[in-house]
Amino acid sequence: MKKFLILSAIFPALFSTLQAQETEVYHLFHPVPKEKLREMETDRPNITESPITTDAGHLQVETDLFRLEKTNGEGLLKTTRLFNQANLKLGISGSTAIQLVVQSYVSQKEFTDGSSERSNGFGDLTLRIKQNLLGNDKGDFAVALLPYLKFPTASALQDDRYEGGVIVPMSLKLGGEWKLGMQVEFDRLQNEDGEGHYTQLLESLTASHPLFKKLDAVAETYYTYDIQAHQWNNFLNAALQLEVAKDIKIDGGLNYGIQHEAMRSYFLGLSFRL
């Protein structure tokens, strides 16, 4: 009888402890322990964002160490060099992360009808919030909502208007280590002449697969559509991403605009998690 009473007291306490552990909530001030961290997901190197958020209480840095962008339109040749264009990501809760995109240094040259103009300095700041809606911790399908607002802080670029939009990234895990990514995005962007805004639609499809252990190959296609001007631009992208150590990845690749006036860019990037 005495043993029965002792066991009756122990089992409910043990059950309560296990239940509390299963329902433990992590947040900014109660970070996910390192042994429970998910595999690090990055929003780069492709245009398609990941729907997976940064683990609560952890900082993740993803940056273009160097990016070269070239646009060759009618009577205009624009070359932009970006150094350390960083996306600073902080996990707030189990499904929410806040992001700050910082263009640390921008150098731009424009050649127009025989004349040229140069500018350089600090770039724009963009505030983004990623809210995962499904599949953050388990399952083969994931989707998130990612609204953003860009502040015209650049001293090097000729933009003085706020821009913003909303991004809906999705991912699907397939057999054989294949992974698909999809994205729908609506943007409200400043016109080239600096007067007013236009609305742009972006849709993308990306596929990734390991080439070797810790080396992934990424292929992507996407298009942008200027709703007011009824103008399309199509792009083909390719990149490699290598995990050099736990929570550290490097990548490189290109974004190639098919139309003559579409932008083409080449980049080298770094991602790490703290």
Side-chain angles (χ1 to χ4, degrees), residues 86-123:
N87 186 0
L88 311 177
K89 306 164 65 175
L90 182 62
I92 302 300
S93 71
S95 60
T96 307
I98 190 169
Q99 305 179 2
L100 182 65
V101 181
V102 182
Q103 293 180 338
S104 300
Y105 186 81
V106 182
S107 175
Q108 188 173 88
K109 297 179 182 179
E110 287 193 17
F111 300 89
T112 308
D113 298 326
S115 64
S116 64
E117 183 176 348
R118 301 187 180 189
S119 58
N120 58 78
F122 187 79

Side-chain angles (χ1 to χ4, degrees), residues 32-85:
V32 177
K34 286 192 175 182
E35 63 273 12
K36 293 186 178 181
L37 287 174
R38 297 187 295 258
E39 182 180 351
M40 186 174 76
E41 284 267 356
T42 62
D43 287 325
R44 53 176 309 114
N46 46 342
I47 294 297
T48 307
E49 310 275 351
S50 168
I52 307 301
T53 62
T54 306
D55 287 274
H58 291 267
L59 175 66
Q60 189 164 310
V61 179
E62 303 175 13
T63 179
D64 282 322
L65 296 174
F66 175 73
R67 178 178 288 266
L68 172 64
E69 298 178 347
K70 290 187 175 183
T71 304
N72 191 1
E74 294 184 7
L76 170 67
L77 174 61
K78 182 166 66 175
T79 302
T80 305
R81 294 177 174 86
L82 299 105
F83 300 88
N84 191 36
Q85 179 176 241

Side-chain angles (χ1 to χ4, degrees), residues 224-238:
T224 61
Y225 176 60
D226 182 338
I227 294 177
Q228 277 81 13
H230 304 290
Q231 180 178 354
W232 300 82
N233 278 315
N234 303 88
F235 298 83
L236 293 174
N237 305 333

Side-chain angles (χ1 to χ4, degrees), residues 152-192:
T153 57
S155 59
L157 304 177
Q158 296 180 353
D159 57 354
D160 57 1
R161 294 178 179 272
Y162 289 86
E163 297 179 341
V166 60
I167 304 168
V168 183
M170 295 164 276
S171 67
L172 179 64
K173 295 179 182 178
L174 303 175
E177 297 186 278
W178 282 95
K179 186 175 180 180
L180 292 181
M182 299 145 281
Q183 180 168 303
V184 179
E185 177 178 346
F186 287 94
D187 306 299
R188 190 69 176 162
L189 305 175
Q190 178 178 311
N191 288 317
E192 283 291 332

Side-chain angles (χ1 to χ4, degrees), residues 123-136:
D124 292 318
L125 291 174
T126 304
L127 180 64
R128 314 189 332 165
I129 298 176
K130 182 185 290 187
Q131 178 62 54
N132 178 270
L133 303 176
L134 180 67
N136 211 34

